[in-house]
Amino acid sequence: MTDAAALPGQPRGGVLSGPATPRAVNVLAPNASAMTLDGTNTWIVAEPDSELAVVIDPGPLDDVHLRAVVDAAEKAGRRVALTLLTHGHPDHAEGAARFAELTGTKVRALDPALRLGDEGLAAGNVITTGGLELRVVPTPGHTADSLCFHLPADRAVLTGDTILGRGTTVVAHPDGRLGDYLDSLRRLRSLAVDDGVHTVLPGHGPVLEDAQGVVEFYLAHRAHRLAQVETAVEDGYTDPSQVVAHVYADVDRSLWPAAELSVRAQLDYLKEHGLIGLE
């Protein structure tokens, strides 16, 4: 076994649900799977002395979970005043409309199809509900509509699926684009280096205590996989499924369909940059 402190990003051990920073509390959804890890992290974020809270990613359409999120906020003496989405995948957003019914909140997202209310989310937006400061950081790549939320007071960033608490993220063709994703990782690295962000509050998996370390790991991992895919093509593996079997041989076969989507995104990236010449 590898010591947790030595893993990329220094994942925090212990219970996943509960307080993570002075302003962020996680309520773990009961939807664990190979793709969602322990389940979706639904984040309740609020100023310590505020009666208002913001919920990020209500999670799946599971009434027990959605009510548990409301209960957690109310037990802390808070009312949920706003719902935000990091992106539109069902494990993060499917329950948003029902959650809005339970709380009477608007839902803000980058994708207009996911919004409930007139306001969306865009680069430069600052959420100030209840005195909280959350800065919207566009991070496309995992999906075209992926966002992160910078929580300056806690030196933290809520990353949705852009960075996970364990393992790495699928950049799924065709919605996911690897070039955009690499740019987003560099944007998050700048938050760590220039803005002092230290803590990653991911959409799945444990909290990470070394934001710069995990971003550097993600960038190195992507460079390594790209080199492997490029070499596989040069060796005659031209079909995406062949590339998966060759490059991802050490990965559980149940994850190969997701790996193939990533390979397609990698092949697109290599073609766009003139590194391979597949038709």
Side-chain angles (χ1 to χ4, degrees), residues 110-135:
L110 179 61
D111 185 348
L114 300 171
R115 301 172 189 168
L116 291 174
D118 297 331
E119 287 188 285
L121 292 171
N125 287 167
V126 180
I127 311 300
T128 57
T129 302
L132 185 72
E133 182 181 345
L134 274 176
R135 301 175 184 173

Side-chain angles (χ1 to χ4, degrees), residues 15 24 28 34 39 49 62 66 93 145 156 176 178 180 218 226 231 242-243 263 267 271 278:
V15 178
L28 182 65
D49 58 352
D62 181 315
L66 299 176
D145 69 330
L178 185 55
D180 291 343
Y218 266 54
L226 269 175
T231 299
Q242 294 175 333
V243 175
V263 163
L267 292 172
K271 285 186 281 187
L278 288 177

